[in-house]
Amino acid sequence: MELLLLLLVFTIISQFLPPASCSPPSNYKNYCDWCPRHSTASLMIFPPAAAGACGYGAALATELNGGGYVAAAAGAEFFRDGAGCGACYQLRCRDRRVCGDAGVKVVVVTDAANRTGGFLLAREAFAAMANKDGMAADQHQLLAGRSDNVVIPVEFRRIPCEYKRNLAVRVEEGSRNPGHLAVRFLYQGGQTDIATVEIAQPQASSPWRPMARLRRRVWRAARAPAGPLRLRLVVTAGFGGKWLRTQDAVLPADWRPGQEYDTGLRVADVAVRTCTRSCRARAAGGAGDEELR
């Protein structure tokens, strides 16, 4: 009886412990195993447009700590109707003769509806992923990116984005002050999605007004009050989530379309209960029950 009781207690406690396959998120290279399913990486003939489907320019990758490269999600499972914009991944070739173990870090800045599945990488990303030592002659096309038809099998995992800058909000073109406000968030770190956004005037008595999410990570308020405006939002990794609130007004009284404003917030949360968040591209639909750290 005592043995059964001890087993029951151990089982209950173990439900709240992270799995052995996850290590602390301070080093993303050791965080979570590679996904059991695989994808492909194709050569992107032209770099993504400065304002692609995600609305992010190629300069976004230069703000990543440790550097990174831009990529296009060439399939719905990674683009996720725009929810995948700005997500960071680590890719490496399945053939170790072609690529080393470290692979390459990329950030999704656009989609590519004319392709199916996988990632599209610029030539620079292909060159960084390639193993330069002991390459066979027929593998130099990967390093040089000389062929427009390079498609290679890759392993992938979603990793936390680590930006040099705070989370920023950009007012989209077409917004009118006051009345119609549409914004997009830039430099969102961590391994999460933004699930809720609300705005309010600085007065403590001012009510919080929700913004509606459109495709491609644009948030809109059809009847936005006059500025200045505070922001609060929910970051989530499945069912678990937490509120983040700006201390002061982010948008000034004279906010203008096309302008970028610093929120003063740093998003660095990662899913810690399981590692499946890294592999489950469509987790934003509510699958799983992830805790945040």
Side-chain angles (χ1 to χ4, degrees):
M1 185 66 181
E2 292 181 358
L3 178 60
L4 291 176
L5 182 59
L6 288 174
L7 289 174
L8 178 60
V9 171
F10 177 79
T11 302
I12 294 174
I13 293 176
S14 65
Q15 299 301 310
F16 298 93
L17 297 176
S21 59
C22 282
S23 56
S26 59
N27 183 356
Y28 75 83
K29 293 181 180 179
N30 296 324
Y31 181 70
C32 295
D33 294 332
W34 294 90
C35 299
R37 63 187 181 87
H38 304 103
S39 186
T40 59
S42 305
L43 181 64
M44 187 160 45
I45 303 176
F46 301 104
C54 291
Y56 301 152
L60 189 73
T62 65
E63 295 293 339
L64 286 169
N65 285 327
Y69 299 88
V70 300
E77 64 172 342
F78 293 110
F79 185 59
R80 294 186 287 137
D81 292 333
C85 288
C88 293
Y89 291 89
Q90 190 177 5
L91 310 177
R92 68 182 183 187
C93 307
R94 295 182 63 188
D95 186 349
R96 291 295 181 277
R97 297 173 301 170
V98 179
C99 293
D101 292 336
V104 67
K105 178 169 64 174
V106 300
V107 56
V108 174
V109 299
T110 187
D111 73 336
N114 61 330
R115 302 284 188 106
T116 56
F119 299 87
L120 266 65
L121 306 182
R123 297 182 190 275
E124 295 79 7
F126 260 87
M129 184 167 55
N131 183 0
K132 304 174 182 60
D133 298 326
M135 293 183 64
D138 60 351
Q139 294 168 350
H140 279 282
Q141 64 172 356
L142 174 62
L143 178 61
R146 293 171 182 167
S147 171
D148 294 337
N149 297 313
V150 176
V151 180
I152 58 171
V154 295
E155 297 175 327
F156 72 92
R157 57 181 173 182
R158 185 176 177 182
I159 60 175
C161 294
E162 299 176 354
Y163 285 105
K164 305 171 186 176
R165 304 176 56 177
N166 293 332
L167 179 71
V169 60
R170 187 180 68 206
V171 179
E172 295 293 278
E173 299 293 341
S175 298
R176 298 183 304 276
N177 185 7
H180 181 269
L181 173 63
V183 300
R184 188 188 305 269
F185 290 93
L186 305 174
Y187 317 116
Q188 179 188 339
Q191 195 184 14
T192 61
D193 298 323
I194 294 177
T196 301
V197 177
E198 296 181 346
I199 55 175
Q201 294 174 313
Q203 297 82 359
S205 59
S206 297
W208 288 97
R209 305 188 184 191
M211 302 187 77
R213 188 177 80 86
L214 307 179
R215 294 186 62 187
R216 301 170 184 176
R217 282 201 173 181
V218 174
W219 295 85
R220 180 176 66 88
R223 290 181 288 181
L229 296 174
R230 294 182 293 160
L231 288 172
R232 70 177 182 181
L233 49 98
V234 172
V235 293
T236 182
F239 293 137
K242 74 176 186 180
W243 284 97
L244 298 175
R245 181 183 304 182
T246 60
Q247 295 295 326
D248 303 308
V250 174
L251 301 182
D254 60 344
W255 60 259
R256 298 179 182 180
Q259 294 297 308
E260 183 179 312
Y261 302 96
D262 189 341
T263 67
L265 299 173
R266 283 274 183 171
V267 181
D269 302 277
V270 294
V272 297
R273 190 170 189 179
T274 71
C275 289
T276 55
R277 175 66 177 175
S278 179
C279 305
R280 202 171 52 239
R282 283 199 168 273
D289 184 8
E290 302 288 358
E291 295 175 353
L292 301 180
R293 172 178 295 165

